[in-house]
């Protein structure tokens, strides 16, 4: 087929494609489309930093303005990935610094970021506007100071749930007095004090500031000052929401009432209930409310929520109880996303009256609900069936019953039918996390029905390899699978080896996958990295039929990693097999 | 698309039924090499073991000479005078050599701390399953996996079988549950799937407010451990240990690959290893809430985990001079 459109026209057409999946699809059509597309793609998304390498990136795409990189597997959030595993962004920064001088946006998730790396960013990318670090660690406030001092065009500095080594409280002062472009600042993850005067001055000279998320150490008494300086805020995160006495109340309430554009509230550490009504004036505007640090009782929580008629996203602790969730069901008719965290995750019987009933109520009352993350202590098949029938529009369903392998508390049966009902009725389901007592049967249901499922998380479930086989052979859209403590082993994995190349990654820890199987898989599948993560001593003398501690399998065009610590091995790849594209 | 390595047979409609596939897969993938193993036995430490280890050693430390808890001065690398070396070794179930990081002064603490458990470990193991109430199926989260058995399709049938039996005697089961409320189970690593910053913050929150049920949550307490010269950090959960000895031996295992070169436990005789470690140049220090670096081992364990922000394995030469400050500080603090 000869090319009928000149390149410029094709480029123009492609410019309307913003999703990277569409762009990837387009580049597969033909060689000329691939070439045209790569010259004009300026937003690049790399879901697994080890699937490619920096050189592959810079050779393919020439003028990149925005890059998004993800590093560690998701279970790193729960300390299942040992420190030192990898995911360091420095080599990427070096290579991108060499080629992408016009880079404007860097978004990193679960990557190791060093101070040196941040300095390179600060000095190498003069046009940088957006720096988002989500769940990253390895850097200190020194690195942040370098960013503040040098990134003259910065609009967004978002430290989302990072672990920062806090050496000094003065890094904020490194933003020059002439710097007035700030639009978004999120420092909620910092545990030490920041210089309040520097913060106040920064806020005062940032007329475009829309998002400000403070950390816990900013006292309530100072909030009204900040809000008065920035009444244009759209998203605001408080610090510790408590004070001695009630003197600060009226000025705080007044300051909130001045924020006519405020749509999102968060923070609320150490809440004193008497101060909660200060936000009532903005409740009806709110689309997002995060009370997940507010350890107050259900009546106080219910009261504030009952004012939030336009709420779309609610994050809360289980202190809300079933009664509070009934309030949500009646007051928040636009609710799309519900997250309920456990207040006391390690106590078997915490005496908090939050049960499956709360979730059922919300599924009945909130017709737009499509995303759920719910921690509770009991569940029943009938509740799950009700939820699935009430809300067939659910796309993300994550249920964590705190005690592993808990059965249906009414019938003591496994929860297979309940979850089966979820996947059968919620036909648009893209993400599922399961818990409770589950047999191979639930995986049969999932393989049969969950055709749009993109990400699946399984723990303490299943009986045999059949369970894993059902998933790998049935879930057509599956890209991310993470499994822990399940009796799945070699057979299902080897039988579905080719499926693994269609996925981004598979994580299996504390299962029954043997060293031998990992080696075989690595040998037979050159486009997969089969990483065995195992901290036991004398790995070389462990027999091949012994299960590995953890295995992380992902597709890659780059073969061997060269930055692995001693507890990570890529199996089955001799030197002769290494792909080296640089 | 490459064909699967091993073919799975199904019926002509492409469906794999539960029972036939199981037997089919058994025959297709028959590999005499794949035997059932108790893989847990091979690893020295795991999330399951840590609670067992801590409880067992805690019972043993009860018998230790109380003299061992006296605070004494000593230079890094030297034995505190008057310590009973046999008592020390007895307290640690895994160590049969001197610790890599000789702690000052002694490693045991007077108070009994059971990490993560409401009741002693020995109480909970006898309890059996609180769910199905059947001893046929061990439903303790980590235990059934620890058995390393590949559960066959028969197991599923067995679960159903037991469940139906239990249904018949529902009343008695419920009664059992009521009288034996499930205790806080030994912590499984990474479960429940809640981010660590969220766990830590809630723990401190509940101490500040008047807690509803009055129980402080035994949240995990992860701190970073760095070592001079090591290429990367590690993290440890301080709450999974109850004594300095345990912490020390765990760290030793973690960082042994960096220390005495290739000195693994295979090549050196025990006495030679002792000599090497006696002259060990490494000490364990920690950064406390005030940002000061102190030697680990000065203060009671509780106080230590309450104020420790991070750990560092330092060369002995860098650590001289830390000890005296620590003593002064703990006096001034109270």
């Amino acid at each position: 087929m000869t090319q009928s459109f000149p390149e410029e026209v094709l480029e123009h057409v492609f410019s309307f494609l913003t999703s990277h999946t569409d762009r990837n699809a387009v580049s597969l059509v033909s060689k000329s489309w691939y070439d045209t597309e790569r010259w004009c793609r300026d937003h690049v998304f790399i879901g697994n930093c080890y699937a490619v390498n920096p050189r592959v990136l810079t050779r393919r795409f020439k003028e990149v303005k925005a890059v998004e990189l993800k590093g560690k597997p998701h279970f790193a959030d729960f300390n299942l990935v040992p420190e030192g595993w990898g995911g360091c962004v420095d080599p990427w920064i070096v290579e991108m610094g060499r080629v992408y001088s016009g880079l404007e946006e860097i978004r990193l998730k679960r990557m190791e970021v060093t101070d040196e790396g941040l300095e390179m960013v600060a000095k190498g990318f003069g046009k940088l506007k957006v720096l988002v670090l989500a769940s990253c660690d390895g850097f200190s406030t020194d690195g942040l100071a370098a960013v503040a001092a040098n990134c003259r065009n910065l609009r967004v500095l978002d430290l989302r749930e990072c672990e920062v080594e806090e050496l000094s409280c003065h890094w904020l002062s490194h933003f020059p007095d002439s710097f007035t472009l700030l639009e978004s600042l999120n420092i909620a993850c910092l545990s030490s004090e920041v210089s309040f005067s520097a913060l106040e001055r920064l806020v005062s000279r940032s007329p475009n500031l829309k998002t400000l998320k403070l950390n816990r150490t900013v006292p309530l008494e100072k909030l009204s000052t900040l809000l008065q300086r920035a009444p244009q805020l759209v998203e605001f995160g408080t610090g510790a929401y408590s004070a001695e006495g009630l003197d600060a109340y009226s000025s705080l309430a007044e300051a909130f009432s001045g924020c006519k554009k405020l749509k999102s509230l968060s923070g609320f550490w150490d809440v004193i209930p008497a101060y909660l009504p200060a936000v009532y004036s903005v409740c009806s505007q709110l689309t997002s409310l995060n009370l997940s640090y507010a350890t107050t009782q259900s009546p106080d929580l219910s009261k504030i929520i009952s004012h939030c008629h336009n709420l779309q996203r609610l994050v809360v602790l289980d202190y809300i109880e079933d009664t509070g969730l009934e309030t949500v069901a009646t007051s928040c008719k636009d609710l799309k996303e519900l997250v309920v965290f456990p207040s006391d995750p390690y106590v078997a019987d915490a005496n908090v009256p939050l049960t499956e009933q709360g979730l059922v109520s919300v599924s009945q009352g909130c017709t737009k609900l499509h995303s759920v993350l719910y921690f509770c202590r009991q569940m029943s098949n009938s509740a799950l069936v009700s939820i699935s029938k009430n809300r067939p529009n659910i796309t993300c369903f994550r249920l964590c019953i705190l005690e592993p392998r808990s059965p249906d508390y009414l019938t003591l049966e496994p929860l297979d039918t309940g979850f089966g009902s979820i996947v059968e009725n919620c036909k648009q389901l893209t993400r599922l996390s399961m818990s409770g007592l589950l047999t191979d049967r639930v995986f049969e249901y999932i393989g049969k029905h969950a055709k749009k499922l993109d990400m699946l998380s399984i723990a303490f479930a299943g009986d045999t390899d059949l369970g894993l086989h059902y998933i790998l052979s049935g879930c057509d859209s599956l890209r991310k699978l993470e499994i822990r403590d399940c009796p799945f082993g070699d057979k299902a994995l080897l039988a579905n080896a080719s499926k693994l190349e269609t996925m981004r990654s598979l994580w299996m820890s504390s299962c029954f996958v043997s060293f031998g199987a990992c080696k075989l898989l690595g040998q037979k599948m050159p486009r997969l990295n089969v990483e065995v993560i195992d901290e036991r001593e004398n790995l070389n003398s462990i027999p091949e039929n012994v299960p590995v501690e953890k295995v992380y399998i992902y597709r890659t065009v780059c073969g061997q990693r060269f930055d692995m610590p001693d507890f990570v091995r890529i199996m089955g790849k001799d030197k002769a097999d290494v792909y080296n594209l640089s | 698309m490459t064909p699967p390595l091993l073919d799975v047979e199904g019926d002509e409609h492409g469906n794999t039924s539960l029972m036939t596939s199981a037997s089919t897969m058994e025959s297709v993938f028959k590999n005499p090499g794949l035997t059932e193993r108790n893989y847990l036995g091979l690893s020295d430490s795991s999330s399951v073991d840590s609670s067992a280890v801590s409880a067992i050693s805690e019972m043993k430390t009860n018998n230790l000479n109380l003299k061992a808890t006296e605070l004494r001065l000593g230079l890094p690398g030297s034995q505190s005078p008057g310590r009973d070396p046999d008592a020390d070794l007895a307290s640690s179930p895994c160590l049969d050599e001197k610790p890599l990081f000789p702690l000052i002064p002694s490693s045991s603490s007077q108070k009994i701390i059971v990490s993560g458990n409401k009741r002693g470990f020995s109480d909970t193991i006898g309890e059996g399953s609180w769910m199905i109430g059947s001893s046929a199926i061990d439903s303790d989260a980590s235990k059934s996996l620890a058995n390393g058995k590949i559960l066959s399709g028969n197991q599923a049938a067995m679960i159903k079988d037991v469940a139906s039996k239990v249904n018949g005697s529902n009343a008695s089961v419920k009664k059992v549950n009521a009288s034996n409320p499930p205790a806080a189970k030994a912590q499984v690593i990474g479960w429940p799937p809640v981010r660590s910053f969220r766990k830590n913050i809630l723990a401190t929150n509940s101490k500040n407010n008047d807690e509803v049920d009055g129980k402080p949550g035994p949240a995990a307490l992860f701190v970073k451990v760095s070592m001079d010269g090591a290429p990367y950090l590690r993290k440890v959960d301080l709450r999974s240990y109850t004594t300095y000895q345990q912490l020390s031996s765990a760290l030793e295992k973690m960082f042994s690959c960096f220390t005495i070169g290739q000195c693994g436990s295979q090549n050196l005789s025990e006495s030679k290893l002792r000599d090497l470690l006696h002259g060990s140049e490494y000490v364990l220090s920690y950064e406390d809430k005030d940002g000061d670096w102190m030697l680990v081992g000065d203060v009671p364990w509780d106080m230590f985990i309450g104020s420790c922000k991070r750990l560092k394995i330092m060369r002995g030469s860098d650590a001289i001079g830390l000890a005296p400050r620590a003593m002064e500080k703990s006096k001034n603090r109270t």
Side-chain angles (χ1 to χ4, degrees), chain A residues 176-191:
Chain A
D177 291 338
S178 55
F179 174 72
T180 59
L181 298 171
L182 199 63
E183 291 175 17
S184 169
L185 179 67
N186 177 2
I187 55 169
C189 62
L190 299 181
S191 48

Side-chain angles (χ1 to χ4, degrees), chain A residues 77-80 82-84 135 137-138 161 163 165 192 216 269-271 290 292-295 297 315 317 319 341-351 375 400-407 409-414 434-435 437 439-441 444 459-460 462-466 469-470 484-487 490-492 494-498 501-502 510-512 514 520-521 524-525 527 535-538 542-543 545-547 549 565-567, chain B residues 1-8 16-19 21-22 25-26 29 33-35 37 39 42-45 116 118 130-132 138-145 148-153 155-156 159-160 163 166-167 170 173-174 177 181-185 187-199 201-202 204-206 208-209 211-213 215-220 222 224 232-235 253-254 256-258 265-266 309-310:
Chain A
D77 284 355
F78 316 123
N79 295 296
L80 288 181
E83 286 289 299
S135 305
D137 65 350
E161 300 180 359
E163 268 185 52
E165 196 183 340
S192 308
R216 194 176 183 171
W269 285 276
D270 312 318
V271 166
N290 187 333
S292 60
Y293 297 108
T295 50
Q297 297 311 301
V315 186
L317 285 175
Y319 284 142
F341 283 119
S343 51
D344 219 348
Y346 299 107
V347 175
D349 212 355
N351 221 9
F375 286 79
C400 179
I401 307 166
L402 289 174
E403 179 68 33
R405 301 204 183 89
S406 304
Y409 77 101
L410 294 170
T411 65
L412 296 183
E413 286 181 353
M434 306 192 295
S435 54
L437 183 65
T439 72
D440 283 348
R441 181 148 292 136
E444 195 184 352
F460 306 105
D463 308 311
T464 74
D465 270 40
L466 261 188
H469 174 67
Y470 285 136
R484 62 162 298 175
D485 294 273
C486 295
D490 302 341
K491 302 169 192 175
L494 294 175
N496 292 283
S498 51
E501 269 187 5
T502 69
S510 305
C511 296
F512 295 148
S514 69
L520 183 62
L521 194 60
K524 297 290 181 188
M525 308 292 291
R527 287 185 298 222
E535 294 174 274
R536 286 176 286 193
E537 290 163 15
N538 306 322
I542 294 185
N545 56 356
V546 165
E549 281 182 354
D566 63 319
F567 53 83
Chain B
M1 187 169 120
T2 52
L5 285 180
L6 298 162
D7 283 316
V8 178
T16 41
S17 68
L18 191 68
M19 294 321 280
S21 316
M25 284 181 79
E26 286 294 338
F29 304 144
L34 260 173
T35 54
R37 283 273 172 159
Y39 71 88
L42 285 169
S43 64
D44 279 335
S45 61
K118 282 284 163 85
W130 57 268
M131 294 188 297
I132 298 181
D138 184 1
S139 56
D140 183 22
S142 21
K143 270 196 181 166
S144 52
L145 278 181
K149 293 202 167 70
I150 297 175
L151 301 174
S152 63
Q155 194 74 7
I159 292 174
K160 261 173 71 182
V166 169
N167 277 339
N170 230 352
V173 168
K174 278 191 179 152
N177 281 346
K185 295 280 176 175
Q187 279 183 42
V188 178
I189 270 199
W191 190 266
V194 176
R195 302 284 309 269
S196 22
F197 64 79
R198 191 167 280 286
K199 292 181 211 169
I201 287 170
L202 286 175
T204 38
N205 242 3
S206 55
N208 291 339
N209 303 342
E211 183 61 32
V212 177
D213 37 10
K215 299 174 237 175
F222 282 94
K224 288 191 177 174
Y232 50 84
L233 305 171
R234 305 305 301 268
K235 264 196 211 164
K253 285 212 180 87
M254 252 185 234
S256 59
C257 51
F258 301 133
S265 35
Q266 320 112 292
K309 269 174 55 180
R310 47 192 285 182

Side-chain angles (χ1 to χ4, degrees), chain B residues 227-270:
Chain B
M227 176 167 174
D228 285 344
Y232 50 84
L233 305 171
R234 305 305 301 268
K235 264 196 211 164
V236 291
D237 174 9
L238 288 181
R239 291 240 169 81
S240 62
Y241 312 107
T242 54
T243 67
Y244 285 115
Q245 199 76 308
Q246 286 166 19
L247 174 63
S248 169
S249 54
L251 289 178
E252 208 178 319
K253 285 212 180 87
M254 252 185 234
F255 285 92
S256 59
C257 51
F258 301 133
T259 53
I260 324 164
Q262 269 58 56
C263 162
S265 35
Q266 320 112 292
N267 300 331
L268 290 184
S269 66
E270 194 176 296

Side-chain angles (χ1 to χ4, degrees), chain A residues 17-61:
Chain A
L17 298 174
T18 46
S19 107
H20 59 273
T21 1
D22 289 341
R23 283 252 170 191
N24 289 342
V26 148
S27 65
L28 292 176
V29 167
S30 70
K31 261 196 139 157
S32 58
W33 278 42
Y34 175 91
D35 277 330
T36 309
E37 195 281 320
R38 69 180 259 259
W39 282 102
C40 67
R41 191 187 306 205
D42 59 8
H43 278 59
V44 179
F45 171 81
I46 296 170
N48 173 8
C49 63
Y50 289 118
V52 289
N53 65 32
R55 197 73 186 88
V56 168
L57 170 67
T58 54
R59 270 193 341 192
R60 180 171 172 186
F61 300 114

